[in-house]
């Protein structure tokens, strides 16, 4: 009888333990590309198009444009980046890409990137892009 009680108690204890959920593929449908141009302000990424204005002491020129993939669920993804101005690879591999940018007076004031996101568990893909604009507010 003692052994039966132990088996029942062990089964009950196992039933009460938290169980891990099965692995679930990610979801690329909500993904978007956000960006900001780094200034001395508290810059917030904006989806699709972002812009900043340079004036003396408010930012560096050149600066950097920061691109980040947003809206992904937990999952296993790959990211393939493309610079839409040069059709080249900007050298980024993860969900974030940082590229140099100069204002429209000292450069073209643009950084345009695209990223192909692939869910490695189910091969679903989504291509998203964003444009960063850096304007000269002084000259």
């Amino acid at each position: 009888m003692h052994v039966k009680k132990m088996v029942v108690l062990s089964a009950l204890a196992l039933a009460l333990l938290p169980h891990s959920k099965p692995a679930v593929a990610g979801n690329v449908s909500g993904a978007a590309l956000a960006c900001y141009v780094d200034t001395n302000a508290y810059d917030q990424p904006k989806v699709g198009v972002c812009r900043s204005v340079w004036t003396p002491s408010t930012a560096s020129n050149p600066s950097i444009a920061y691109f980040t993939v947003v809206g992904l669920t937990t999952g296993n993804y790959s990211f393939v980046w493309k610079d839409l101005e040069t059709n080249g690879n900007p050298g980024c591999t993860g969900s974030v890409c940082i590229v140099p940018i100069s204002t429209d007076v000292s450069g073209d004031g643009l950084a345009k990137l695209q990223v192909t996101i692939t869910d490695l568990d189910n091969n679903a893909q989504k291509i998203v892009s964003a444009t960063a604009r850096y304007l000269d507010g002084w000259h």
Side-chain angles (χ1 to χ4, degrees):
M1 193 68 145
H2 187 269
V3 171
K4 282 186 178 180
K5 279 185 178 179
M6 290 300 290
V7 169
V8 169
L9 289 175
S10 295
L12 181 60
L14 285 174
L16 294 175
L17 287 176
H19 296 285
S20 61
K21 295 180 181 179
V24 177
N27 185 348
V28 296
S29 66
L33 191 57
C35 63
Y36 69 83
V37 177
D38 190 33
T39 67
N40 294 344
Y42 184 67
D43 303 302
Q44 293 291 311
K46 295 196 169 134
V47 172
V49 176
C50 60
R51 66 180 219 147
S52 289
V53 177
W54 172 86
T55 58
S57 77
T58 63
S60 297
N61 186 24
S63 187
I64 60 165
Y66 175 91
F67 293 82
T68 184
V69 175
V70 296
L72 288 176
T73 60
T74 301
N76 186 21
Y77 302 100
S78 71
F79 305 91
V80 178
W81 291 87
K82 182 178 182 181
D83 182 326
L84 294 176
E85 290 187 277
T86 66
N87 286 322
N89 181 333
C92 303
T93 57
S95 63
V96 172
C97 190
I98 298 170
V99 295
I101 189 170
S102 295
T103 65
D104 56 335
V105 171
S106 56
D108 70 355
L110 292 174
K112 297 179 181 181
L113 294 187
Q114 169 184 293
V115 62
T116 301
I117 306 157
T118 303
D119 183 327
L120 298 175
D121 293 326
N122 63 16
N123 290 321
Q125 284 191 333
K126 186 168 184 183
I127 298 172
V128 294
S129 62
T131 299
R133 298 188 183 278
Y134 197 28
L135 307 172
D136 187 316
W138 184 254
H139 295 102

